[in-house]
Amino acid sequence: MASIIGGIRDFPAFTAVFKAHEPEIVFHLAAQSLVRRSYVEPLETYATNVMGTVHVLEAMRQTPSVRVAVIITSDKCYENREWIYAYRESDPMGGRDPYSASKGAAELVTASYRNSFFHPNRFEKHGVSQASTRAGNVIGGGDWAEDRLIPDCIRALIDGQSISVRNPHAVRPWQYVLEPLFGYLRLAKRMWEDPCSFAGAWNFGPYTNGNATVGSVVNRVIREWGSGE
């Protein structure tokens, strides 16, 4: 497996990689993924999440080998209505902060490329099946970014400090990182086998009985930390 370190904002270098390796399946996960950082660095956030996605889609359009593309965004792409039920794929895009707005914009860009260049009804002409996926509250190893609940808990416990939680009663659809990743791989497989039926937008999340409050997750981390001692 070849590993190439680069940036999706560098369009010439990015397209050169596509040209050299001729991928058949593309997973786009590159992003500025932190809400609070988007307030500090809005330009970088929009450049990465919006124009970076444009660069991926345009590189695909210029690469005849591509057959399947899964564009990973976020469940923060939806207009926040503060309602109880889970957002549906047909709900409108939105965003009250730069991060969420950039994800909504990335979804609009993805849909526009699908409708303009990769429409399922014209698959015989372009040969590309393109979908977007929306997941949120993913937890698991390898994520040590700021403003992440479990990493923040572990850092506080290591330093012997109190754990600061903004809204302990908020209910979130937590899912372990391998669950949406398995979903993305399964979706790509189905897109390869049945490209017209699976092109579109997909939400990835747990069953509702798996939802939990922020406070309950923090208490579980504290218990597990103590039992590990």
Side-chain angles (χ1 to χ4, degrees):
M1 179 173 63
S3 176
I4 301 168
I5 306 299
I8 58 172
R9 289 184 291 174
D10 185 348
F11 184 62
F14 191 68
T15 53
V17 171
F18 267 67
K19 183 177 179 179
H21 292 270
E22 299 183 323
E24 293 180 308
I25 301 175
V26 176
F27 293 92
H28 170 42
L29 297 96
Q32 193 299 94
S33 59
L34 301 172
V35 174
R36 284 211 297 180
R37 182 180 293 178
S38 75
Y39 285 104
V40 179
E41 300 174 341
L43 181 60
E44 178 186 350
T45 299
Y46 285 114
T48 301
N49 294 351
V50 183
M51 286 309 300
T53 300
V54 174
H55 290 169
V56 172
L57 295 167
E58 186 60 21
M60 285 168 37
R61 193 172 73 88
Q62 297 180 17
T63 307
S65 61
V66 175
R67 288 183 54 186
V68 168
V70 180
I71 311 299
I72 290 88
T73 63
S74 169
D75 64 351
K76 304 301 184 293
C77 66
Y78 293 107
E79 181 180 342
N80 191 350
R81 299 288 185 86
E82 300 293 350
W83 49 37
I84 298 175
Y85 78 78
Y87 288 97
R88 304 178 179 95
E89 286 86 347
S90 57
D91 286 333
M93 300 293 100
R96 299 178 182 177
D97 56 84
Y99 169 76
S100 301
S102 73
K103 289 300 186 178
E107 283 284 351
L108 294 175
V109 166
T110 300
S112 72
Y113 262 77
R114 183 166 55 246
N115 289 324
S116 300
F117 307 114
F118 309 128
H119 199 287
N121 293 345
R122 299 190 294 273
F123 178 78
E124 294 301 324
K125 180 178 180 179
H126 55 73
V128 178
S129 179
Q130 182 228 63
S132 64
T133 65
R134 304 154 182 177
N137 298 105
V138 177
I139 57 178
D143 183 3
W144 286 98
E146 68 270 21
D147 296 331
R148 297 283 200 239
L149 181 62
I150 293 180
D152 284 351
C153 288
I154 298 301
R155 279 189 285 262
L157 290 167
I158 289 174
D159 295 337
Q161 298 178 352
S162 298
I163 299 172
S164 178
V165 179
R166 185 175 68 253
N167 190 354
H169 302 294
V171 178
R172 297 286 185 262
W174 310 98
Q175 53 186 323
Y176 185 61
V177 62
L178 294 183
E179 294 172 333
L181 289 179
F182 173 79
Y184 302 156
L185 291 169
R186 183 171 176 82
L187 174 60
K189 178 177 183 292
R190 298 303 298 272
M191 292 167 68
W192 184 279
E193 298 167 344
D194 189 357
C196 297
S197 297
F198 290 88
W202 299 86
N203 287 337
F204 282 80
Y207 291 112
T208 55
N209 60 9
N211 294 347
T213 65
V214 172
S216 67
V217 174
V218 172
N219 289 332
R220 176 67 181 271
V221 171
I222 293 171
R223 289 198 305 269
E224 294 296 331
W225 181 268
S227 64
E229 293 283 321

